Amino acid sequence: MKSPISRRECLKQLGLAGALAWSGARQSMAFPNSFPAIRFVDVAERSGIHFVHDNAATPQKYLIETMGAGCGWIDYNNDGFMDLYLVNGAATPIYTPKQPLRSALYRNNGDGSFTDVTARAGVGAEGLFGMGVAVGDYDNDGFPDLYVLGYNRCILYHNNGDGTFTDVTARAGVGNQGKWGSSAAWFDYDNDGKLDLVVANYVDWSPQHNVWCGEHRPGYRGYCHPDVYEGEPPTLYHNNGDGTFTNVSKSSGVGLKPGNGLGVVTFDYDQDGWQDIFIANDSMANFLFHNKHDGTFEEVGYFAGVAVSADGATEAGMGTDAADTTGDGWPDIIVTHLDFQQARLYRNLRDGSFEDATFAAELGYATWHYSGFGTRFMDYDNDGARDILMVNGHILDNIQLYHEDTRYKEPKLMFRNRGHGIFENVSQELGSDFSLPCVSRGAAVGDYDNNGSLDILVSNNGERPQLLRNQGNHANHWLQVFLIGVRSNRDGVGAKVKVTADGLIQYDERKGGMSYQSAQDPRLHFGLGPQSRVDLIEVRWPSGAVDRIKNLPANQVVTIQEGIGIVPRKFPRLTE
């Protein structure tokens, strides 16, 4: 929905004066005419990842059985290799597993293998029916901490810096008690240099209020539509700087109305220097919380044109992400939905509003028959344009009884950005492991082998996860940027990075959240196509400081510390 007022007036009202100075004029992006043959190969089992998700499935069709779970990347021991975390279910009043269930932390050994270190690290989240995971250094001590979301409560694990974690949930005050936490984002909403936490909560379901949905004949009972239950408002925790948090959900305006929250991403959609919050709501209008710079937010989803589809329909919002798809420096939004709805691409109009560009981007029909969950903007072929990943799987395990042509297990989708935000479906070109039908939920993108090509961790409901390693002819160049804030939060969340390499200009932002119930590689990734050198890296920090680094070779991870520039930090290549 476009705003009826002028762009200049809208900028004035939203406090966007000077915002265009960051992006400059619209830049054309460089795209090669051909791209390398890429295949994604599942290396999970041979890498020693033996985890199997248990969704506690029963004929009673508890809603929690089908909505999880997520996964995430975390370099918990700071050795330069991304380790991974997988969220699991738990026993229920009517389901007792053969073995006690726990989530799992796997250490990246740097040689192609992973080791389960859950017990030693103390992060099993036993007894929690887990949903999502979020990673952030909330106390700025240089070690990433772990927040595990689930039904009826959440857990905050503080990283002790010695390979172990301590459950500090009670002291920190971030338990989210009595709510069904789905996805979360660490971000600094007041720019005070400390990471705050926003939680997207789902519906008010309980085992005692488990409604029968579907036909009353054998095999036809199904998981209920979320409209059967009341929604839950999001939760916002303010970081007090002493290891504790204050629940400011209502006073901030974020928790004033209920939602069916599933996916969350924090980013600065209006380029005013303050991160905003987008929450994908299931079967109700999405939320876009505009940051008012005074500790409060205003929900502007309808005004900004991202609450519903172009035809005014509410849809089954699942996963979400934000990134610049056209090269103009302004972030667009992707939202995945259930089958018989399209995944939506909302294009940023640079005036505080968005337009539904799903069909203009040539995404609509290709997503019609799929139920999308985890989604990410990622440059999988390093050509300098952000592509779109979607992992899919239906909600109903008996869906074929109702829709003969619809499957419970579904293949993943990859849409290659051909340039200026026009996409083509290349899913069938990425190998049989990528196309394997699964009941996928979480998707976490990261470069676990540090070779400059992005890999994909996928959590599958009631199944083994997949670690899809990016293999093939990696002819294009790349750059990754790892940020260390000083006056800003140490993770650099909210920092904006502009990379110039000859005629190729790219923009990205260190965002919070993303995808669905999953935590992403903290490094910003830039594909450079044929460019073997970078002319300029410009970092604008949340504090207002600006760092510029000129003339450096491509194909490396650079660590940039606020106010200093490049500092040493090792990200060794995997040796096999």
Side-chain angles (χ1 to χ4, degrees):
M1 177 176 68
K2 292 186 178 181
S3 169
I5 63 177
S6 70
R7 178 168 179 259
R8 182 181 298 276
E9 181 62 23
C10 188
L11 289 172
K12 182 179 178 181
Q13 289 184 18
L14 294 177
L16 305 186
L20 293 180
W22 164 247
S23 66
R26 184 181 180 97
Q27 301 288 344
S28 61
M29 304 176 75
F31 307 98
N33 293 325
S34 61
F35 57 97
I38 301 295
R39 297 290 184 272
F40 284 93
V41 178
D42 184 5
V43 298
E45 187 171 355
R46 75 180 191 221
S47 297
I49 302 170
H50 303 304
F51 178 91
V52 181
H53 179 255
D54 191 332
N55 64 337
T58 71
Q60 295 302 309
K61 304 291 184 180
Y62 279 5
L63 189 55
I64 54 175
E65 298 170 8
T66 194
M67 298 305 296
C71 55
W73 296 108
I74 174 173
D75 183 8
Y76 80 99
N77 54 3
N78 282 347
D79 66 352
F81 286 109
M82 297 307 302
D83 313 296
L84 63 88
Y85 191 81
L86 297 162
V87 180
N88 210 349
T92 71
I94 56 173
Y95 177 79
T96 302
K98 295 180 180 178
Q99 300 291 335
L101 302 181
R102 68 179 187 183
S103 298
L105 174 65
Y106 281 87
R107 184 187 66 225
N108 187 335
N109 299 320
D111 60 1
S113 68
F114 288 80
T115 299
D116 187 338
V117 295
T118 311
R120 181 180 186 278
V123 291
E126 293 87 349
L128 173 69
F129 203 107
M131 290 288 153
V133 58
V135 174
D137 183 5
Y138 75 88
D139 56 355
N140 291 330
D141 67 353
F143 289 91
D145 308 298
L146 194 64
Y147 190 67
V148 185
L149 299 97
Y151 170 71
N152 211 35
R153 65 185 178 99
C154 300
I155 300 173
L156 176 60
Y157 289 111
H158 175 259
N159 191 329
N160 300 320
D162 61 359
T164 69
F165 292 75
T166 299
D167 182 343
V168 296
T169 312
R171 179 180 182 276
V174 292
N176 204 38
Q177 294 288 340
K179 294 186 177 181
W180 177 345
S182 179
S183 299
W186 292 101
F187 76 127
D188 183 5
Y189 75 86
D190 54 357
N191 286 347
D192 66 351
K194 300 181 291 291
L195 288 180
D196 311 299
L197 180 66
V198 61
V199 179
N201 294 308
Y202 199 42
V203 298
D204 184 16
W205 172 91
S206 71
Q208 294 75 32
H209 185 43
N210 189 51
V211 179
W212 183 295
C213 294
E215 299 180 26
H216 284 267
R217 51 178 173 146
Y220 277 77
R221 184 173 186 176
Y223 296 104
C224 288
H225 192 278
D227 286 353
V228 172
Y229 304 98
E230 296 294 325
E232 290 279 9
T235 306
L236 180 62
Y237 293 106
H238 177 260
N239 190 333
N240 300 321
D242 59 0
T244 69
F245 292 75
T246 299
N247 189 331
V248 295
S249 305
K250 291 186 177 180
S251 62
S252 68
V254 170
L256 293 181
K257 61 180 181 179
N260 298 338
L262 288 177
V264 60
V265 59
T266 65
F267 68 112
D268 183 8
Y269 80 92
D270 52 4
Q271 302 284 28
D272 64 354
W274 299 74
Q275 280 212 324
D276 311 293
I277 307 168
F278 178 81
I279 294 179
N281 282 319
D282 187 359
S283 302
M284 65 175 293
N286 301 317
F287 292 151
L288 178 61
F289 293 100
H290 176 246
N291 194 325
K292 297 173 65 177
H293 315 170
D294 59 1
T296 68
F297 293 80
E298 180 184 6
E299 204 287 293
V300 297
Y302 275 106
F303 173 81
V306 296
V308 295
S309 65
D311 57 359
T314 58
E315 296 176 305
M318 303 293 187
T320 186
D321 194 11
D324 173 21
T325 65
T326 61
D328 65 359
W330 291 71
D332 310 309
I333 301 174
I334 188 73
V335 186
T336 54
H337 299 114
L338 287 182
D339 59 333
F340 306 117
Q341 300 170 357
Q342 291 88 21
R344 294 287 168 186
L345 178 67
Y346 296 102
R347 186 156 290 156
N348 198 322
L349 296 178
R350 301 186 288 172
D351 62 0
S353 71
F354 295 75
E355 65 177 352
D356 185 343
T358 304
F359 287 96
E362 300 184 11
L363 287 173
Y365 295 113
T367 62
W368 176 256
H369 287 291
Y370 295 95
S371 295
F373 280 82
T375 185
R376 279 300 316 277
F377 289 110
M378 60 177 290
D379 187 357
Y380 82 93
D381 55 359
N382 283 339
D383 69 349
R386 285 180 180 83
D387 315 301
I388 300 175
L389 166 74
M390 299 178 191
V391 304
N392 310 295
H394 208 276
I395 291 291
L396 300 177
D397 55 359
N398 56 358
I399 184 61
Q400 283 186 268
L401 297 177
Y402 296 92
H403 300 293
E404 183 178 352
D405 295 332
T406 304
R407 300 291 185 268
Y408 183 44
K409 296 184 178 184
E410 298 176 335
K412 297 155 196 65
L413 295 173
M414 183 74 79
F415 296 94
R416 180 177 181 267
N417 192 335
R418 301 201 312 264
H420 303 289
I422 307 300
F423 295 86
E424 63 177 329
N425 188 347
V426 296
S427 310
Q428 295 300 316
E429 301 172 11
L430 301 182
S432 58
D433 289 345
F434 187 88
S435 299
L436 180 70
C438 299
V439 187
S440 299
R441 297 292 185 255
V445 173
D447 183 9
Y448 86 92
D449 49 9
N450 290 338
N451 70 350
S453 58
L454 292 176
D455 313 298
I456 306 167
L457 177 65
V458 182
S459 58
N460 296 313
N461 184 273
E463 301 177 320
R464 296 182 180 275
Q466 294 167 288
L467 177 55
L468 297 172
R469 189 178 187 188
N470 190 328
Q471 296 184 347
N473 178 20
H474 299 150
N476 288 330
H477 299 287
W478 56 276
L479 179 79
Q480 291 177 10
V481 179
F482 183 79
L483 300 173
I484 300 178
V486 179
R487 289 171 55 201
S488 306
N489 64 86
R490 186 180 176 93
D491 284 356
V493 177
K496 299 171 186 175
V497 178
K498 177 181 178 181
V499 171
T500 304
D502 198 8
L504 178 64
I505 300 176
Q506 295 183 72
Y507 306 85
D508 203 0
E509 179 180 354
R510 182 72 160 84
K511 298 166 292 186
M514 297 171 279
S515 189
Y516 176 83
Q517 299 184 347
S518 298
Q520 311 301 315
D521 189 326
R523 296 169 290 184
L524 299 182
H525 179 95
F526 299 87
L528 300 176
Q531 310 301 333
S532 60
R533 295 197 67 81
V534 173
D535 300 319
L536 176 68
I537 304 173
E538 183 174 303
V539 183
R540 293 182 177 266
W541 299 89
S543 67
V546 180
D547 287 310
R548 296 180 177 89
I549 295 93
K550 297 181 179 180
N551 191 24
L552 67 161
N555 304 330
Q556 61 171 319
V557 183
V558 295
T559 299
I560 300 176
Q561 186 168 329
E562 184 178 10
I564 296 176
I566 293 179
V567 296
R569 189 181 180 102
K570 293 183 178 180
F571 292 95
R573 292 286 183 95
L574 182 145
T575 58
E576 296 178 280

